């Protein structure tokens, strides 16, 4: 090997730099300082002929060379050490950035499935589904719901899961990649999710308040409270049921009208703060701790549900409740209103259009089978609704039976008093022994009376009918906080069963709140590097903001606004968002191409029927649903049930005109990003479709959304594909 006889500074630097590069790039190699002496001796070595020819100047060389070598080596080592240190700092910063930019995964698929189930199983879904089953056709409504679930619900859940999982983005960024012109739909879903999150924890605060009161014996909604001087019961409570009084006057401190506002109810502010603190504590340490918490919050309610279901079957009147469960009104199958209600319930129960489904799915590997996940989550959701509705009807049958028994006993006492006063003839005397089965004995006696005496009796007392009482189950949250809670108070060990029941609702509410907040946090982290780097600061700041804004719904009229938003408003933006999501896939990206990309990522073919559902069925069904809901809203004035403090009774009042204007304004605000982003794309000449027509598009796992979506230039994206790499190259150019 030929080398230089006298090494120069440049040759040393070059040789040493090569060693440094190798040291930086080869894992486990030594540093440049360890390699320096060896590099230097290799560069300054001489051949045997040159050594023999230079023997004459050996003494001089021995005297001068070591000093030159040591000086040159020290200088060069100092320079290269600084250079190596700089490069190490650069590499460390690069690795830190890659760690920050890398997207985490769920610890296991079980955690991911439970997170999706927990998000979809909101407490409001339970009482709303049971109430709709009771008042919208019975089994006919259930059949329509199941049909709509498989026709629209599951395909849309699959669509959002597939989009979030393949693009590795939350609900805000995924649609800008799939269809740039419709990218504003992500911002709309983010805003709807934010508004839902503002008042969702208010419902959880009601649950915590009831749970805190359930440690008393008897529970406060079982009997009327005493007056200040303990001389008797509260007169306002005596004019109504104790459960109704406790709900309106002690929990909500509700105003008579929605116009009557006021300061936040202080007894609800603390539970509301506790809810946000719990959700924040569950999420502040990232996805790994959130997954562990989700396992507890989702699985615990199912053990309670199974226990309640078994216990409810043993209650008196459970058979009557289950008989009402299987009643089907065939005429409601032809009722458009029932179809629209069922369709809206499917969208709300599955969580479509909020961005949370895509956000949760974005933390799964791209090769995960999201089609089976969509079916699994939807079927678990459906089975849970069916089981909960069954034990709801059993408990309501027990509730209606006890109320009817007490009604018959009270009527018997009234009739005896009227006979003693001479206002009724002795023939109207009721049977004295009503202990065994008051309802059956009393109604048998009443039906056996002569018609004229029966008419006299019915003029003095109310009619006690178990079927009529069963249908009086309240609507909305009152289904739980009035009818169901009152039924719990009739049970032995009512304190225990009440606490367990509210614990079930609270765990379900917290798991749903985590899913909702994930739909807000994930898009913010995808779009802003600062939030990705400072997750705890984001969680604390965001939750403080939402807590402060949510205090509006804890004021005396807050429950009326919650009903306005949840029952009448939220369905409209969800339908519009769902329609635009299907348009983004079948119109801009291409349903067939989307399925082909998923086939490559998942490693198995997907039925083309889903492309047909996305392209034809879902948009048409959603458009019809939007029109029917709009027509129903315009033809029938929207109302709310309020408390009349002057009479201590519930009063049905219409919403004022400004409430309808508020709905329209909110709808326009959340939909505004869609046309605004469309105009933005036109101004910046962003193409309607992604440029890479012949290759799948997947978002990078190491680049923030701001780097992926640059309007003025194309950005190379790393593709994680499991398929034919010759047909689909590893990188593709995408213009957002």
């Amino acid at each position: 090997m030929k080398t230089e006889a006298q090494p120069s500074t440049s040759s040393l630097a070059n040789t040493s730099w090569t060693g440094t590069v190798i040291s930086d790039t080869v894992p486990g190699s030594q540093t440049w300082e360890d390699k320096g002496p060896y590099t230097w001796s290799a560069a300054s070595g001489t051949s045997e002929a040159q050594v023999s020819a230079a023997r004459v100047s050996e003494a001089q060389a021995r005297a001068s060379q070591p000093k030159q070598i040591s000086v040159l080596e020290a200088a060069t080592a100092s320079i290269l050490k600084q250079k190596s240190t700089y490069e190490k700092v650069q590499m460390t910063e690069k690795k830190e950035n890659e760690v920050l930019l890398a997207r985490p995964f769920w610890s296991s698929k079980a955690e991911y499935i439970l997170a999706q189930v927990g998000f979809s199983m909101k407490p409001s879904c339970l009482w709303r589904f049971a109430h709709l089953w009771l008042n919208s056709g019975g089994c006919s409504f259930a059949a329509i719901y199941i049909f709509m679930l498989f026709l629209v619900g599951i395909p849309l859940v699959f669509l959002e899961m597939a989009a979030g999982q393949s693009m590795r983005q939350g609900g805000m960024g995924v649609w800008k990649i799939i269809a740039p012109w419709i990218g504003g739909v992500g911002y709309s879903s983010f805003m709807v999710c934010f508004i839902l999150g503002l008042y969702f924890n208010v419902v959880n605060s009601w649950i915590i308040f009831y749970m805190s009161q359930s440690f008393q014996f008897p529970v406060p909604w079982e009997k009327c409270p005493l007056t200040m001087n303990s001389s008797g019961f509260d007169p306002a409570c005596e004019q109504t049921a104790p459960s109704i009084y406790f709900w309106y006057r002690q929990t909500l401190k509700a105003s008579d009208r929605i116009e009557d506002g006021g300061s936040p109810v202080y007894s609800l502010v603390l539970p509301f703060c506790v809810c946000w603190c719990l959700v924040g504590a569950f999420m502040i340490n990232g996805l790994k701790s959130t997954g562990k918490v989700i396992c507890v919050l989702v699985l615990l309610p199912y053990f309670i549900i199974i226990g309640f279901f078994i216990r409810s079957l043993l209650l008196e009147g459970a058979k009557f409740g289950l008989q009402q469960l299987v009643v089907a009104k065939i005429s409601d199958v032809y009722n458009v209103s029932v179809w629209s209600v069922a369709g809206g319930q499917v969208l709300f129960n599955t969580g479509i259009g909020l961005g949370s489904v895509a956000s949760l799915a974005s933390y799964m590997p791209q090769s995960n089978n999201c089609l089976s996940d969509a079916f699994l989550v939807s079927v678990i959701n459906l089975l849970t609704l069916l089981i909960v509705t069954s034990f709801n009807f059993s408990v309501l049958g027990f509730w209606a039976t006890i109320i009817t028994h007490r009604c018959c006993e009270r009527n018997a006492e009234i009739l005896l008093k009227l006979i003693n006063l001479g206002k009724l003839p002795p023939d109207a005397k009721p049977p004295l022994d009503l202990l065994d089965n008051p309802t059956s004995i009393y109604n048998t006696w009443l039906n056996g009376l002569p018609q004229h005496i029966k008419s006299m009796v019915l003029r003095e007392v109310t009619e006690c009918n178990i079927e009529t009482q069963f249908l009086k189950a309240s609507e909305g949250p009152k289904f739980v906080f009035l009818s169901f809670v009152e039924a719990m108070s009739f049970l032995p060990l009512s304190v225990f069963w009440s606490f367990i029941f509210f614990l079930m609702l609270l765990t379900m509410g917290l798991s749903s709140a985590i899913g909702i907040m994930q739909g807000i946090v994930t898009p913010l982290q995808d779009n802003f590097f600062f939030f990705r780097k400072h997750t705890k600061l984001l969680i604390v700041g965001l939750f403080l903001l939402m807590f402060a804004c949510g205090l509006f719904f804890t004021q005396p009229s807050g429950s009326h606004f919650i009903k306005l938003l949840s029952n009448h408003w939220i369905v409209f933006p969800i339908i519009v968002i769902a329609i635009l999501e299907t348009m983004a896939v079948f119109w801009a990206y291409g349903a067939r191409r989307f399925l082909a990309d998923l086939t490559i990522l998942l490693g198995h073919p997907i039925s083309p029927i889903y492309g047909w559902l996305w392209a034809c069925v879902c948009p048409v069904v959603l458009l019809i649903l939007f029109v029917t809901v709009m027509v129903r809203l315009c033809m029938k004035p929207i109302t709310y049930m309020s408390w009349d403090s002057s009479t201590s009774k519930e009063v049905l009042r219409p919403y004022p005109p400004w409430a309808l204007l508020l709905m329209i304004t909110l709808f326009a605000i959340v939909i505004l990003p869609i046309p605004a982003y469309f105009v933005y794309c036109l101004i910046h000449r962003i193409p309607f479709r992604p440029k890479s027509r012949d290759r799948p598009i997947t978002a990078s796992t190491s680049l923030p959304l701001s780097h992926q979506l640059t309007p003025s230039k194309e950005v190379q994206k790393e593709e994680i594909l499991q398929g034919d790499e010759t047909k689909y190259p590893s990188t593709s150019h995408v213009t957002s």
Side-chain angles (χ1 to χ4, degrees):
M1 185 175 70
K2 295 182 180 181
T3 56
E4 297 286 341
Q6 295 180 356
S8 63
T9 304
S10 60
S11 65
L12 174 63
N14 292 337
T15 308
S16 301
W17 173 245
T18 304
T20 304
V21 173
I22 295 175
S23 173
D24 289 340
T25 56
V26 179
S29 61
Q30 296 178 344
T31 59
W32 178 84
E33 288 78 11
D34 295 332
K35 294 293 184 180
Y38 172 77
T39 305
W40 168 256
S41 62
S44 61
T46 59
S47 63
E48 293 181 359
Q50 292 171 333
V51 171
S52 60
R55 285 181 184 274
V56 179
S57 58
E58 182 177 358
Q60 184 180 358
R62 288 179 179 179
S64 61
Q65 188 175 1
K67 185 176 181 179
Q68 294 174 357
I69 292 173
S70 60
V71 173
L72 183 61
E73 182 180 10
T76 308
S78 176
I79 295 172
L80 293 179
K81 185 175 181 180
Q82 295 178 1
K83 192 171 186 178
S84 176
T85 303
Y86 174 76
E87 290 176 354
K88 288 179 181 179
V89 172
Q90 292 293 98
M91 292 296 295
T92 302
E93 293 179 353
K94 182 178 180 181
K95 290 179 180 179
E96 289 179 354
N97 290 338
E98 289 178 354
V99 170
L100 289 172
L101 292 170
R103 200 174 195 84
F105 290 100
W106 293 98
S107 299
S108 64
K109 187 169 182 176
E111 290 184 2
Y112 165 65
I113 295 296
L114 291 176
Q116 291 282 11
V117 172
F119 163 66
S120 62
M121 286 311 304
K122 309 172 188 67
S124 57
C125 296
L126 304 182
W127 61 63
R128 188 178 299 176
F129 185 82
H131 185 268
L132 291 175
W133 188 311
L134 179 62
N135 295 278
S136 298
C139 287
S140 299
F141 167 79
I144 295 172
Y145 177 88
I146 294 174
F147 177 76
M148 294 289 289
L149 177 65
F150 282 88
L151 184 69
V152 176
I154 293 179
L156 291 179
V157 172
F158 172 45
L159 174 62
E160 292 199 357
M161 283 185 176
Q165 178 178 299
S166 61
M167 304 301 169
R168 307 281 291 154
Q169 289 287 329
M172 186 184 295
V174 65
W175 304 109
K176 292 193 287 188
I177 300 174
I178 294 177
W181 281 17
I182 314 180
V185 71
Y187 295 95
S188 295
S189 63
F190 175 85
M191 296 173 69
V192 174
C193 194
F194 183 85
I195 294 174
L196 174 62
L198 290 180
Y199 67 81
F200 189 85
N201 264 336
V202 178
V203 180
N204 289 336
S205 69
W206 299 342
I207 298 172
I208 290 182
F209 181 79
Y210 266 79
M211 181 184 292
S212 64
Q213 299 295 316
S214 64
F215 291 102
Q216 306 178 33
F217 183 80
V219 288
W221 50 84
E222 185 176 352
K223 293 183 179 181
C224 289
L226 297 174
T227 56
M228 295 294 294
N229 55 8
S230 301
S231 59
F233 294 110
D234 192 327
C237 179
E238 289 184 324
Q239 299 180 27
T240 184
S243 60
I244 297 178
Y245 178 84
F246 184 82
W247 168 247
Y248 282 109
R249 301 303 300 167
Q250 295 188 349
T251 302
L252 301 179
K253 293 181 172 55
S255 59
D256 290 1
R257 300 177 181 274
I258 192 175
E259 297 92 338
D260 304 331
S263 59
V265 178
Y266 297 110
S267 58
L268 291 179
V269 172
L270 180 59
F272 186 53
C273 180
V274 169
C275 290
W276 279 114
C277 291
L278 288 175
V279 177
F282 296 155
M283 298 183 63
I284 198 167
N285 289 324
L287 201 66
K288 183 176 293 187
S289 62
T290 302
K292 301 299 183 291
V293 172
I294 283 291
C295 292
V296 177
L297 294 179
V298 177
L299 292 178
L300 179 60
Y302 281 93
F303 290 105
I304 300 177
I305 288 172
I306 293 173
F308 263 110
F309 179 72
I310 297 174
R311 180 67 180 93
S312 65
L313 296 178
L314 304 177
L315 296 175
E316 181 185 5
K319 182 179 179 180
F320 175 79
L322 294 177
Q323 289 174 349
Q324 301 300 312
L325 181 69
V326 297
V327 171
K329 299 178 182 178
I330 305 301
S331 59
D332 286 333
V333 176
Y334 308 101
N335 190 340
V336 178
S337 178
V338 175
W339 282 85
S340 64
V341 169
Q345 189 67 15
V346 166
L347 296 179
F348 187 75
N349 286 1
T350 53
I352 295 169
L354 299 176
S356 295
V357 174
S359 296
L360 294 173
S362 67
Y363 299 107
M364 286 297 288
Q366 292 177 315
S367 59
N368 175 60
N369 191 347
C370 51
L371 177 58
S372 63
D373 293 347
F375 268 96
L376 181 59
V377 171
S378 300
V379 170
I380 292 176
N381 188 312
L382 176 62
L383 292 178
T384 305
L385 289 175
L386 294 177
I387 295 174
V388 172
T389 302
S390 298
F391 91 71
N392 277 343
F393 273 64
S394 299
V395 173
L396 287 179
F398 167 72
W399 169 75
T401 300
I402 298 300
I403 294 294
T404 308
H405 285 349
R406 294 184 177 184
C407 175
C408 294
E409 293 172 352
R410 185 171 58 253
N411 285 353
E413 294 177 359
I414 294 174
L415 292 176
L416 288 175
K417 291 181 180 180
L418 293 176
I419 291 174
N420 293 333
L421 294 175
K423 295 183 178 181
L424 288 177
D427 295 339
K429 183 178 181 180
L432 300 178
D433 187 11
L434 297 177
L435 297 179
D436 295 335
N437 192 346
T439 302
S440 178
I441 297 173
Y442 177 83
N443 287 333
T444 301
W445 165 79
L446 183 62
N447 293 329
L449 292 176
Q451 186 62 37
H452 66 284
I453 297 180
K454 182 179 180 180
S455 300
M456 295 172 61
V457 170
L458 293 178
R459 282 197 298 266
E460 301 295 338
V461 295
T462 59
E463 185 178 2
C464 302
N465 189 300
I466 187 173
E467 295 182 359
T468 304
Q469 183 63 38
F470 189 87
L471 295 175
K472 288 182 179 179
S474 301
E475 179 185 3
K478 294 186 299 179
F479 184 85
V480 168
F481 295 104
L482 293 183
S483 303
F484 210 87
V485 162
E486 188 176 13
M488 291 291 102
S489 65
F490 297 154
L491 290 172
L493 301 175
S494 59
V495 174
F496 170 77
W497 289 108
S498 297
F499 176 79
I500 292 298
F501 175 69
F502 287 116
L503 178 62
M504 177 193 74
L505 292 180
L506 179 62
T507 52
M508 297 178 71
L510 292 177
S511 61
S512 299
I514 291 175
I516 293 171
M517 296 311 301
Q518 201 67 56
I520 300 174
V521 172
T522 300
L524 291 177
Q525 291 182 323
D526 288 341
N527 284 270
F528 301 100
F529 177 80
F530 178 81
F531 291 147
R532 210 160 38 250
K533 187 177 181 181
H534 303 282
T535 302
K536 294 183 179 180
L537 182 62
L538 168 64
I539 296 294
V540 173
L542 178 64
F543 283 27
L544 286 176
L545 172 64
M546 298 188 71
F547 168 75
C549 297
L551 288 175
F552 171 81
F553 297 99
T554 62
Q555 62 178 336
S557 61
S559 60
H560 305 320
F561 285 98
I562 291 177
K563 182 178 179 181
L564 178 69
L565 295 176
S566 61
N567 291 4
H568 305 289
W569 174 79
I570 198 169
V571 66
F572 289 104
I574 285 179
I575 293 175
V576 173
I577 291 170
I579 291 175
L580 291 175
E581 287 178 356
T582 57
M583 290 176 60
V585 171
F586 85 84
W587 190 21
Y589 195 87
R592 188 175 301 176
R593 175 189 172 198
F594 191 75
L595 290 176
D597 295 349
L598 291 178
T599 299
I600 298 172
L601 292 175
L602 304 184
H604 61 81
I606 300 175
S607 174
I609 192 174
Y610 292 100
W612 177 73
L613 290 173
W614 294 334
C616 302
V617 177
C618 290
V620 174
V621 172
L622 291 173
L623 185 60
I624 295 174
L625 179 61
F626 183 86
V627 173
T628 54
V629 173
M630 181 68 71
V631 170
R632 187 181 60 183
L633 182 66
C634 296
M635 294 183 62
K636 185 179 179 181
I638 54 177
T639 58
Y640 65 99
M641 190 71 70
S642 67
W643 174 261
D644 190 350
S645 57
S646 60
T647 60
S648 298
K649 299 291 183 182
E650 289 183 307
V651 179
L652 188 65
R653 303 183 189 276
Y655 277 103
W658 60 262
L660 185 60
L661 181 62
L662 176 64
M663 289 177 56
I664 297 174
T665 304
L666 277 179
F667 177 75
I669 290 174
V670 300
I671 296 299
L672 182 62
I674 298 174
Y677 198 82
F678 176 78
V679 174
Y680 172 83
C681 292
L682 290 179
I683 294 175
H684 291 80
R685 298 182 179 180
I686 298 176
F688 176 68
R689 294 181 176 87
K691 280 190 175 182
S692 54
R693 299 295 190 94
D694 58 343
R695 59 192 67 168
I697 300 177
T698 55
S700 172
T701 60
S702 61
L703 288 178
L705 185 62
S706 59
H707 291 175
Q708 293 173 7
L709 302 171
T710 306
S712 60
K713 63 180 181 179
E714 299 177 355
V715 181
Q716 288 190 344
K717 295 188 173 184
E718 179 182 356
E719 308 231 324
I720 304 176
L721 303 177
Q722 296 182 0
D724 187 359
E725 294 186 357
T726 60
K727 183 177 180 181
Y728 296 99
S730 60
T731 57
S732 62
H733 297 275
V734 181
T735 300
S736 70

